[in-house]
Amino acid sequence: MLTPASYWTNGNVFSMSRVEVEHHERVLDQTLSMYSDLRDRGARRVRLLNSLVLVLSAILCGTTFLDEHWYAQFHLDPKTPDLILRVCSVAVFTLSIWILSQNFDRELKEFTLGAEALSSLKLKCRYSLRPDSGTSDAEFASLAAACSVAFAEGPRVPEREFSRLKAKHVAKIALSRAIDDSPGVPVWILKIRVLRKGLSGPDAST
């Protein structure tokens, strides 16, 4: 006789807590992929903006202390240094204020910490779902609760980015399976296969 906390599937009886962990494991995999993408993109953006401010600042300082005879040697207009100073000063000030107002560093830190937390939970879920793990119902329930807390407290994926990130995650899974099935085929060819399969739709084989 099945208890209310049990679930029947494929001829086996599983606790509802185990089923919940299986669901969380799939969601963890997708969310971790999204967090990692947003983290990597955020890191590239921060490096780019910081490098841009650094370059503009270097030009600003170099123009300030550069002797006037250097401009004469390069046949530059005498007003050129003043123009460079004004443009670089405005650019550095505007970029600095914009970077501070957007909190790019905080956003990067949130997604970095979120990815680390979900990665740890994902490993725990995978281990607990192994047939030889000996995980009890209480441990499944505790792990499911930890996953729910991580989802609730983690950074939110922007709504405008969700569809793109989900599509990228699904494509990554499809590419991984294609590599497993055809390990000797170049990755770029497998990417084309995955793209063609996605464009043709599920009914292409019929």
Side-chain angles (χ1 to χ4, degrees), residues 19-29 144 147-148 151:
V19 174
E20 190 176 1
V21 169
E22 290 176 344
H23 169 72
H24 283 326
E25 197 272 337
R26 292 191 295 271
V27 178
L28 277 170
D29 190 43
C147 291
S148 297
F151 291 141

Side-chain angles (χ1 to χ4, degrees), residues 123-168:
L123 290 176
K124 292 179 181 179
C125 288
R126 285 191 172 181
Y127 176 78
S128 67
L129 293 171
R130 289 173 49 183
D132 60 345
S133 66
T135 307
S136 65
D137 288 348
E139 290 172 328
F140 275 126
S142 177
L143 186 55
C147 291
S148 297
V149 171
F151 291 141
E153 296 182 349
R156 295 289 177 268
V157 175
E159 188 68 26
R160 65 181 182 278
E161 299 281 0
F162 183 84
S163 297
R164 180 187 68 83
L165 293 173
K166 182 174 182 178
K168 187 174 182 179

Side-chain angles (χ1 to χ4, degrees), residues 157-201:
V157 175
E159 188 68 26
R160 65 181 182 278
E161 299 281 0
F162 183 84
S163 297
R164 180 187 68 83
L165 293 173
K166 182 174 182 178
K168 187 174 182 179
H169 170 69
V170 175
K172 183 181 72 174
I173 294 176
L175 179 61
S176 178
R177 291 174 179 171
I179 293 174
D180 291 337
D181 295 337
S182 308
V185 180
V187 175
W188 67 270
I189 294 180
L190 295 177
K191 288 183 177 181
I192 293 176
R193 288 181 181 177
V194 171
L195 178 61
R196 289 181 59 188
K197 185 177 181 181
L199 293 174
S200 61

